[in-house]
Amino acid sequence: MALHQLTSFTLGVPNAGETAAYYREFGLTDEGDGWFASRDGGRQLHLVTAPTRRLIELRIGVDNSDDLARAASRLGVLGVEAAADPAAGTLTTCDQTTRVQVVLQVTPRLEQPAAGSTPYNGPGRTERAGTRAPGILRAGQVSPRKLGHVVIGSTDFDATTAFFRDGLGLQASDYIKDAGAFLRCSTDHHNVLVLRAPVVFPHHSSWQVDDIDEIGRGAHAMLAGRPERHVWGLGRHHAGSNFFYYLKDPSGTFSEYYSDMDCVPEDQVWTPEIFEGARGLFAWGPPPPPSFLHPDDLTALMAGLHSR
Ligand SMILES: [Fe+2]
């Protein structure tokens, strides 16, 4: 695969100061210039001020300039323009429906240091003897390892999916029937999820943590005294298999802690499935609240769109 990483995204929000404080608390490092870094992935979130919340840019790492040329050719077949900058090693294009700018950039591959496996006791299996579980002994703030995926609602689901899949070259991992496309540009099950929506909006970003205990510890800390941040969790998704917990930032955009996502090696065949009903959303956990698929501000976002 030529594409190898979802490198970063730029999120426009009307309340950048408040939102920045949220992502510091979420465990990202504030670099002081609008950028926020994860532990392994570096600078991966760029917060800027915008009239309403919107996904402004995604950056995707590729191996070399041939990959940029292939993407430009595929986009050309779709009738989508792309601007190459050979000196910068980039190809810049834009999804016509969502107006999200996507920059493919020649970038070294992310080599994550392997986190040691968490010892769990089970029937006839003692991995942890004579000590309490790491999940209750850990102290300090949860620190996301890397950006996993970004989810965008599109008013033209087919066109936006075609842009990312057929134009940019992301691979399809699974679909939610007529309503969702899980696409990958790395060995993660999904890095971009396109959702059918009545208005273009950023649904969520998702951040990898070490294990399920880190999801629980992170959510617990974020919810202390701030129950309004709760969106949905704890649960395990069917598509991608990951454990999840969703929280809401002050702009109304969701942020997810995840662990244990399905991995698809580049040389391995993975047959996408089409999920319907609950399996499109989750394998187990509390039922998703209606505001998960239709966030509370969608009507206001649609009104804003129509008044412009
Ligand atoms: Fe997610």
Side-chain angles (χ1 to χ4, degrees):
M1 191 190 291
L3 315 176
H4 60 75
Q5 186 195 0
L6 177 61
T7 314
S8 67
F9 71 106
T10 299
L11 183 66
V13 298
N15 47 354
E18 209 185 334
T19 305
Y22 171 94
Y23 283 102
R24 285 194 292 272
E25 210 179 318
F26 189 76
L28 302 179
T29 301
D30 188 343
E31 303 258 291
D33 55 359
W35 280 89
F36 292 78
S38 64
R39 186 150 43 128
D40 296 344
R43 290 157 69 88
Q44 299 202 284
L45 165 61
H46 187 201
L47 277 183
V48 299
T49 299
T52 55
R53 65 187 184 101
R54 62 176 290 249
L55 181 61
I56 293 174
E57 182 181 274
L58 289 177
R59 296 183 86 90
I60 292 173
V62 306
D63 285 325
N64 54 51
S65 57
D66 290 347
D67 303 327
L68 301 179
R70 276 193 289 271
S73 167
R74 283 189 305 260
L75 288 162
V77 171
L78 294 183
V80 178
E81 290 182 5
D85 182 341
T90 60
L91 183 78
T92 302
T93 184
C94 181
D95 174 41
Q96 298 306 302
T97 305
T98 60
R99 308 307 301 171
V100 174
Q101 175 167 283
V102 179
V103 181
L104 301 189
Q105 182 164 25
V106 178
T107 313
R109 291 192 172 218
L110 174 65
E111 300 289 343
Q112 282 189 286
S117 41
T118 309
Y120 291 108
N121 291 338
R125 171 174 56 86
T126 304
E127 295 178 355
R128 187 188 75 251
T131 179
R132 301 182 200 276
I136 63 168
L137 294 175
R138 291 173 189 158
Q141 189 179 16
V142 166
S143 171
R145 291 271 183 176
K146 69 166 188 178
L147 171 65
H149 54 273
V150 170
V151 180
I152 177 83
S154 174
T155 50
D156 191 336
F157 169 72
D158 292 334
T160 300
T161 300
F163 170 78
F164 280 103
R165 183 192 55 206
D166 308 331
L168 292 169
L170 278 75
Q171 310 253 317
S173 292
D174 284 311
Y175 294 97
I176 301 170
K177 188 170 187 257
D178 299 331
F182 294 90
L183 308 172
R184 66 181 188 276
C185 59
S186 75
T187 57
D188 298 332
H189 175 274
H190 56 281
N191 301 107
V192 173
L193 167 58
V194 180
L195 291 177
R196 183 184 297 277
V199 63
V200 170
F201 76 103
H203 187 274
H204 72 268
S205 64
S206 187
W207 300 84
Q208 183 191 52
V209 294
D210 287 350
D211 56 26
I212 190 172
D213 278 302
E214 290 302 90
I215 296 178
R217 288 204 320 118
H220 182 79
M222 292 296 285
L223 293 170
R226 302 297 300 269
E228 74 280 6
R229 288 175 170 171
H230 169 80
V231 177
W232 185 31
L234 173 75
R236 195 192 259 276
H237 283 305
H238 193 99
S241 300
N242 54 297
F243 295 114
F244 64 82
Y245 206 116
Y246 292 89
L247 302 153
K248 184 161 68 174
D249 81 15
S251 79
T253 307
F254 304 153
S255 63
E256 175 187 14
Y257 290 119
Y258 82 91
S259 71
D260 192 28
M261 178 170 276
D262 291 337
C263 176
V264 186
E266 290 177 37
D267 56 357
Q268 191 166 318
V269 174
W270 177 277
T271 305
E273 290 186 60
I274 301 173
F275 299 122
E276 294 187 61
R279 284 211 310 169
L281 285 172
F282 69 133
W284 59 256
S291 63
F292 180 73
L293 280 180
H294 296 280
D296 299 335
D297 64 348
L298 280 203
T299 304
L301 287 173
M302 291 169 73
L305 190 71
H306 295 146
S307 68
R308 274 206 292 275

